[in-house]
Each structure stands twice: as C-alpha cells, then as structure tokens.
Amino acid sequence: MKKLYFTVVLAFMAITTQAQVDRSIMPEPGPSPEINLDDPQRFELKNGLKVLVVENHKLPRVSIQLTIDNPPVAEGDKSGVGSLAGSLMGNGSKTIDKDVFNEEVDFLGANISFGSQSAFASSLSKYFPRILELMADAAINPNFTQVEFDKEKEKLLTGLKAQEKDVSSIAGRVQTALAYGVDHPYGEFTTEETVNNVTLADAIQYYSDYFVPANAYLVIIGDVDFKDVQKLVKKNFTPWTKAAPPSFTFSKPSDAQYTQVNFVDVPNAVQSEIAVQNLVDLKMKDADYLPALVANQILGGGGEARLFLNLREDKGYTYGSYSRLGNSKFSSSRFRATASVRNAVTDSSVVEILNEIDRISKEPVSAKELKNTKAKYVGNFVLALERPSTIANYALNIETQDLPKDFYKTYLERINAITIEDVQNASQKYFNAANARIVVAGKGSEVLENLEKVSFNGKTVPVKYYDKYAAATEKPDYEAAMPEGVTVQSVIDSYFEAIGGKTEVDKIESLKLVYEGEAMGTKIKVEEKRTADKYAQTTFMNDAPMMGVIAKGDELYMKQGGNKVPLPEAMKKDLKNALGIFPEQGIAAGGNAKLTGTEDVDGKAAYKIEVPGETMQVTYFYDVESGLKVKEMQVINMNGQTQNQEVTYKEYKEIDGIKFPSIRVGTMGPQLVESKLLEAVINKDVSDVDFD
C-alpha cells in the first residue's frame, strides 16, 4: 500500500511540474559542455623526434602516427619523386624481407602504412612493442630496390595516362597551377616527362633529405603505459640519424588582378568543371579562424548551404555545389567554390556562384543559418572525440600550429560565441569576388559562346585561354574549315574502304569479336556479337561471365548472372545509332552525326564524328591519312551518374578479307587495360548466334 501511495505522489508531482512549464517560451540554452581532453605526456629524443603519448585504457588497442612537419617541397622537373619514395616505403626493411614483413603484420592483425613524410600503425595493445619495432625498422631502414621502383613507376605512369582525358583531373591541375604558379610547391604537377626523369637514386636522395627527425612528431594513443613507451621509442627510434631537411624559399603567389574566367578546352567533356577561387592567408592560430570556417559552412559546406540550395535545389544545374577554405602556416592557401554542371548552364552557374560569394560578403547571414551551423559544428566535434585518430590530430595541431594548450578544450565555447558580425567580417576578408579567378574546364564548342557574355556587377568578365597544363594559349578555333568534300558520309566510306571495301563489308551478316586482357591480376575477356539488328556484349572475368548488354528487337537489358535488368527507353533509342555489323552503318543511317573537326590521336590527325544522344554520347576518331578508326569515346549519363569510357584501336590485321584492330586499349577505373584480339568470326550461321 505504501508503494502504491508513493507512486501516485510521484505521478502527481510530475503532472504538477509539467503544468508549471510555459511551452510557448523556448528554454535558454545551457552552458557549452566541458570538453575533457587528456593532455599528452611528452618527451623528445636527442635526434629531434618529439613524442606525444595519450594513455587511453578503454579498449585494448593502440595507434601510432608519425608525421614529419616539413615545409612544402618543390620537386621541379622530377615532380613525382616524393610519391615514388613514399610508395617504396613499407616494403619491409634492409633486415626484413617484404613478404616476411607483410605476413607478420597480417598475422598480428595490425596495420602499417607509409607516406613520403609520414607513417601510421595500429594494433592490439599486446602487440604494440613488435608493431612499433616493425614500423621503426621500415621507416629508418627502408628497402629501396630497383625492381620495386620500376613497379611503382609503372603504376604512376599508368595512372597519369588514365587521367589524360579526365576532366576533373585536368581541372584540378590547372586550378592549382594558375593559383600558385607552376614553380610553387603547391602549383607544380606531375607528368609522364617528370616521372621519367626520376631514378631510383633520386627517390633514395629524397628520402634521405626529407624523411628526417628534425620536424618529426610521433603520437601514440591507446592502452599503453607512458614509461614503457619511453623505453620502446628510445630503443627503436634512437638509431634514426639526426638531420634537418634542406631549406629553400619560393615566391609568394598573388591573386588575379581582376575577376576573370580562365578557360581550358576539353573536347570530350560532357560537364563543365567550375572553380571560383582566390588566395587566402589563414592560419589555425588566427583569431578569426573559427568565424571563417563558419562562414564557409554557411556558404558551401554541405547540402543545407547556400551554394547547394541555389545551384541544385533551386536551379537544378548540378548534383552538388560546395566551397572549401584552406589554411596553411607555410604559404597562402585557397578559397574555392566549385560545381560540376551541364554544358548548357555553364555561364549561368558561374554567375550564381559569384552572386552567392558577393551576397554573403555584403549581407549579414540570418540568425537561423548561424544557429544551425553552430549546432552542426558542436555535433561533429563531439562525435569526432570518439575516434583515437582525432585525439592524435588535436595533439599534433597544438604542437605544430602554435595553438594555445586549451584550443580544443574551449572550442565549443568559442564556436557558440561567434556572432553574425564575425561571420560577415570573415566573409569580406577571405571570400573575394572582386579578384576571383574563375577556372572552367569544359567543351568549348558548346559553352564558350555564352561564357564570353558573362557579366558580374555590371561588368563583362574577360576570358583567358589555357591548355591542359596551365600554359596560356589562343582561343580555340571551332570554325576551322574542313577540306572540300569531307563529310560524315565520306569519312565513313573511307573507313569501310580502309578495312576491306564497302562490297566486302556488305557481305557480312554476322560478326563475333573476342578480346582479352589483364587488370590487377584478373583475366578480362570481352565477347561481342553483332547482326544487322541485334547486339550482345559479355564481359568475363577469369572466364566467368560477369555482365552483359543485350539488344534485340524492342528489348534492351543488362544481364548479370541469371538476372535481366531492363535499361531505359532513352538508352534504347540511343543504342540504335550504333546497331549494325559495324556501328558506322547505324551512324550513317541515323542522320544525327556531326563532323566536328580534327584532333590529334597518338601524334596523327584524326577526323571527329560526334553522335549525340539523350543518355549516351559517342565520338569516333578516324585517321585522316589511313581512314582507319583509331579511337572511340563514350559518355553515359544515367540516374545522375556520368561514366566516361575511352578505347584506342591499334595494329589492324586482316581476317577473311576484313581488317580488325588487333589491340584495344581501354580504361577500367583508374587503370588502362590493353586487350588483344583472340577471335574474329565472320558469317557464322545467324540462327546459331546466341543473343540471350
């Protein structure tokens, strides 16, 4: 009875208390939560290595992070040497074979990785002594061999080749080069030529010069004892020879003198890559560092920011538009507002981005925007504290960025103290629409006419032209006259004559082609079957069918295993342009193809024929001299995703009176895959050709 009485009283008290709360008034926010970050224990070796240790015994794990805080390095005509040096590290050591090293790390369930001036390891705490020993040995006594160097160099060159036609890679390269200058460490870029200049001796010298302890920090966090760490670090890292990196200076970059468009013509682009950028001098220790971050978050920090809401949600120009604000204690960094947009709205997108940058500098942000942004920062900050890597980075930042010891302990308090005026002051200081460099990489034949008409604040924005390596160039000439009599049909006729003659081509009723190559240790075979009105392509990996595309009658579907996935009607319509024994037969019959000029392919001029489509756009290239098809580029737009495919055709050989390319080189992700012709079967009984 007493228990029942007590329960009733509690319930009555709760109801009474609830009745006294005025829910029409928003409660006052409480004080910022107190952030309890463990201060790292610190010691330093005689060779200059600084060691920070944070004991955390919640889980039996430990992480080890080595960071060498050197100034940026200019690699010049051997750009890529740092990347090669970093990729060679971690291949065992001078005392431990690569395979033995990797097997032991895997056996212990650990992870060890290296960069050109960094290293990281993690493991269960009971394996910490051995993992630290392995990491130190591989860092101090790396095993640089000619065999591994040649492998890594080939990987780097292959990656560069795959990026040659990639619009985002071209855009990123030109953006940094124009912002800083190609002689600045942040503006230089790696090319096939600079990589070929690098030798094994260069990589070893780079390591010797820059992987040194003078500016090195070792951060260890986890289930460890400080005294044990001291003993182990001294034992394993004392042999690291005391040295400092070479010192050199580089010129201070400067912004454009006036707002301008810097245009890069990328003929295969189906979207324009836009970056509105300017240089900033922002350091983490600056008083307005946090207000600047908040201002950038409101402008372009995510899906709720102004750029995204304008260009995607309101205008539908893009799938996303964002801004980023960098900081550096060594040099100027960049503010960038970016978007990848449809060709037709390139000029309009530039104007909208400029307008948003201008607006946040001239008009105060709303109280709601500021409140929501603060809440996001608070939430992200608190969640990040759960990760050991966060604590390591915070400790490292305090050491390397000249921050006060309580920088992160008072972080939330300072975020919540930011005012609307603080945000506007930071916007005016770091977002510069008056001297903006607008870098646009896109298909000039479709975007330049309107881009040259862009005006901002009542003034026409001038356009300057650059090539894919940031060198000033002339405006592209899209009106260059073709030789008299050269048309889409004449180019196709020349192609048919080159492969065997129109008469022989017309005799073909069915065709089967099989090409085989290798990528990442996997055998890849592509089998293609064609008749006048049917098409089937199947991709095999290690002889197992993985995926197919089938077109027959009114059906168009993708085949994965036993499943048929219908493809959109728009794609079916586009694919009809490429049906026939040879796609050129469909091109000629379709009537939509355009001869758009010539382009260099492997050092020789080639005619370009573009076949537009709603979901699939294809460009074919035919050697001006021989008439043979030398390249094909395909761009597929589906479900908001864009996929680029490029194939180069080489070394034609004759089979049953018809010439076929014996080698096809195409892209698979970031890798180039060379495939060789295994089989070409002409006029097999059509009824026996399987299109299922």
Side-chain angles (χ1 to χ4, degrees):
M1 184 69 181
K2 287 183 179 180
K3 183 176 180 181
L4 177 61
Y5 174 78
F6 183 66
T7 302
V8 171
V9 170
L10 284 177
F12 178 77
M13 290 175 63
I15 294 170
T16 304
T17 303
Q18 186 176 14
Q20 293 174 348
V21 175
D22 186 350
R23 297 191 178 276
S24 66
I25 301 175
M26 182 177 294
E28 291 292 325
S32 299
E34 183 179 351
I35 302 300
N36 294 314
L37 289 174
D38 295 328
D39 290 324
Q41 299 178 76
R42 191 183 190 283
F43 66 96
E44 185 172 334
L45 301 187
K46 291 181 180 180
N47 58 16
L49 175 66
K50 276 74 70 177
V51 185
L52 309 174
V53 183
V54 177
E55 294 186 30
N56 185 329
H57 303 287
K58 292 181 180 179
L59 293 172
R61 295 199 62 83
V62 61
S63 67
I64 313 163
Q65 180 175 321
L66 175 67
T67 301
I68 304 178
D69 188 39
N70 288 333
V73 178
E75 299 176 2
D77 63 357
K78 294 188 178 183
S79 181
V81 62
S83 174
L84 288 169
S87 63
L88 288 172
M89 298 188 67
N91 292 322
S93 71
K94 292 177 181 176
T95 59
I96 305 176
D97 180 75
K98 172 186 174 181
D99 292 336
V100 175
F101 181 90
N102 291 334
E103 285 173 7
E104 182 172 3
V105 172
D106 290 342
F107 178 76
L108 297 177
N111 173 44
I112 299 180
S113 59
F114 288 86
S116 62
Q117 296 179 51
S118 64
F120 176 82
S122 64
S123 72
L124 292 173
S125 51
K126 64 181 179 179
Y127 301 131
F128 167 66
R130 180 55 178 162
I131 292 301
L132 182 70
E133 182 181 13
L134 288 170
M135 176 180 169
D137 189 25
I140 299 172
N141 306 299
N143 188 26
F144 284 18
T145 67
Q146 188 67 50
V147 172
E148 292 297 331
F149 174 78
D150 291 341
K151 287 181 182 177
E152 295 301 331
K153 189 173 185 177
E154 186 59 34
K155 287 181 187 177
L156 183 54
L157 289 171
T158 300
L160 290 173
K161 288 178 181 177
Q163 294 174 5
E164 285 179 359
K165 300 293 184 181
D166 183 71
V167 186
S168 60
S169 297
I170 293 169
R173 176 172 63 228
V174 176
Q175 288 165 20
T176 54
L178 292 180
Y180 295 101
V182 294
D183 295 327
H184 191 282
Y186 293 163
E188 67 179 8
F189 47 79
T190 302
T191 66
E192 184 176 351
E193 181 182 2
T194 64
V195 172
N196 283 325
N197 289 337
V198 180
T199 64
L200 175 61
D202 294 324
I204 294 172
Q205 188 63 52
Y206 181 95
Y207 165 82
S208 178
D209 285 343
Y210 298 106
F211 207 96
V212 292
N215 300 319
Y217 294 83
L218 186 68
V219 183
I220 299 173
I221 294 179
D223 185 24
V224 294
D225 178 79
F226 178 70
K227 292 183 178 179
D228 291 339
V229 171
Q230 276 186 307
K231 295 176 184 177
L232 290 168
V233 170
K234 287 179 180 178
K235 174 185 175 182
N236 291 294
F237 280 93
T238 295
W240 197 1
T241 303
K242 183 177 183 179
S247 60
F248 60 89
T249 59
F250 42 83
S251 59
K252 181 179 174 63
S254 57
D255 269 324
Q257 293 182 336
Y258 49 84
T259 296
Q260 58 187 256
V261 172
N262 296 165
F263 182 76
V264 184
D265 187 31
V266 187
N268 64 300
V270 293
Q271 293 188 122
S272 294
E273 297 286 337
I274 301 172
V276 179
Q277 61 183 31
N278 62 262
L279 296 170
V280 299
D281 289 315
L282 178 63
K283 300 173 178 59
M284 289 189 70
K285 67 179 182 179
D286 290 344
D288 57 1
Y289 172 70
L290 292 181
L293 293 188
V294 169
N296 179 71
Q297 184 69 32
I298 293 172
L299 175 64
E304 70 290 337
R306 291 182 175 186
L307 287 172
F308 191 95
L309 293 176
N310 182 336
L311 274 78
R312 171 171 172 159
E313 299 299 328
D314 183 30
K315 304 295 191 308
Y317 290 166
T318 178
Y319 288 98
S321 180
Y322 308 92
S323 63
R324 297 161 186 82
L325 181 63
N327 66 87
S328 172
K329 69 176 183 178
F330 294 116
S331 177
S332 299
S333 50
R334 285 184 297 161
F335 161 75
R336 291 188 302 145
T338 61
S340 300
V341 305
R342 293 180 286 114
N343 291 346
V345 296
T346 301
D347 54 316
S348 302
S349 299
V350 168
V351 171
E352 292 302 327
I353 293 173
L354 287 172
N355 285 339
E356 291 296 350
I357 295 172
D358 199 43
R359 181 164 73 97
I360 199 170
S361 300
K362 293 179 178 178
E363 302 174 7
V365 300
S366 69
K368 182 179 180 181
E369 285 176 308
L370 181 57
K371 178 184 175 183
N372 290 343
T373 302
K374 287 181 178 180
K376 184 172 183 177
Y377 266 96
V378 170
N380 289 342
F381 182 80
V382 173
L383 287 174
L385 293 176
E386 299 296 321
R387 298 190 295 269
S389 59
T390 299
I391 308 301
N393 289 332
Y394 288 173
L396 192 60
N397 285 341
I398 289 172
E399 289 284 334
T400 61
Q401 302 294 325
D402 193 24
L403 303 177
K405 298 297 182 185
D406 64 349
F407 183 86
Y408 290 103
K409 291 181 180 180
T410 62
Y411 188 90
L412 297 184
E413 180 183 333
R414 287 180 291 120
I415 283 286
N416 284 324
I418 294 172
T419 66
I420 291 175
E421 184 180 8
D422 293 333
V423 172
Q424 188 169 13
N425 289 339
S427 300
Q428 291 171 348
K429 183 176 180 180
Y430 297 112
F431 309 155
N432 190 350
N435 295 86
R437 189 184 297 277
I438 308 160
V439 182
V440 179
K443 188 173 183 177
S445 59
E446 294 186 6
V447 307
L448 255 185
E449 183 178 353
N450 288 332
L451 198 58
E452 290 174 329
K453 299 175 183 176
V454 166
S455 63
F456 176 64
N457 285 341
K459 295 181 179 179
T460 299
V461 179
V463 180
K464 295 185 176 183
Y465 306 95
Y466 294 86
D467 66 16
K468 298 174 185 179
Y469 296 95
T473 187
E474 297 296 323
K475 177 181 176 179
D477 182 6
Y478 303 109
E479 303 298 328
M482 298 296 296
E484 186 176 352
V486 177
T487 64
V488 169
Q489 189 63 57
S490 72
V491 172
I492 291 175
D493 289 343
S494 295
Y495 167 68
F496 286 143
E497 286 302 316
I499 64 173
K502 185 71 162 56
T503 302
E504 293 300 315
V505 168
D506 289 342
K507 292 178 183 178
I508 303 176
E509 295 182 338
S510 70
L511 176 64
K512 175 184 175 182
L513 297 174
V514 180
Y515 284 86
E516 184 177 274
E518 186 175 306
M520 297 170 285
T522 301
K523 184 172 67 175
I524 300 170
K525 184 170 67 176
V526 178
E527 180 183 274
E528 189 175 297
K529 303 172 185 176
R530 287 178 174 270
T531 67
D533 59 351
K534 296 178 183 178
Y535 172 83
Q537 184 188 72
T538 306
T539 301
F540 299 81
M541 290 191 176
N542 291 331
D543 295 323
M546 300 301 294
M547 184 180 68
V549 177
I550 313 294
K552 56 178 183 177
D554 291 330
E555 285 188 281
L556 173 63
Y557 56 88
M558 183 181 293
K559 193 173 182 180
Q560 293 177 311
N563 299 322
K564 293 183 179 181
V565 182
L567 293 174
E569 286 294 319
M571 178 165 280
K572 184 189 301 183
K573 180 181 177 182
D574 293 341
L575 192 60
K576 286 183 179 179
N577 292 327
L579 289 180
I581 300 298
F582 295 92
E584 282 74 13
Q585 293 167 320
I587 293 171
N592 295 324
K594 299 177 181 178
L595 183 63
T596 58
T598 62
E599 186 172 314
D600 181 271
V601 177
D602 290 336
K604 299 183 71 177
Y607 292 121
K608 290 171 55 181
I609 294 180
E610 294 184 359
V611 183
E614 187 174 340
T615 63
M616 187 168 64
Q617 302 175 55
V618 188
T619 304
Y620 301 90
F621 298 79
Y622 301 87
D623 186 274
V624 170
E625 184 178 340
S626 70
L628 294 171
K629 179 162 60 178
V630 289
K631 190 169 70 169
E632 183 176 325
M633 295 194 316
Q634 189 179 87
V635 180
I636 300 174
N637 292 287
M638 283 184 61
N639 303 321
Q641 300 294 320
T642 299
Q643 182 182 17
N644 296 297
Q645 296 177 341
E646 181 175 313
V647 179
T648 303
Y649 301 102
K650 299 181 178 181
E651 298 182 18
Y652 278 75
K653 70 176 182 179
E654 186 175 321
I655 299 175
D656 294 340
I658 301 295
K659 290 181 180 179
F660 300 97
S662 62
I663 295 176
R664 297 199 312 190
V665 182
T667 54
M668 178 170 285
Q671 190 169 5
L672 286 176
V673 180
E674 181 177 294
S675 302
K676 295 184 178 180
L677 180 64
L678 293 186
E679 188 179 14
V681 181
I682 297 173
N683 286 341
K684 179 182 178 181
D685 188 350
V686 178
S687 62
D688 291 339
V689 178
D690 179 16
F691 286 94
D692 291 312

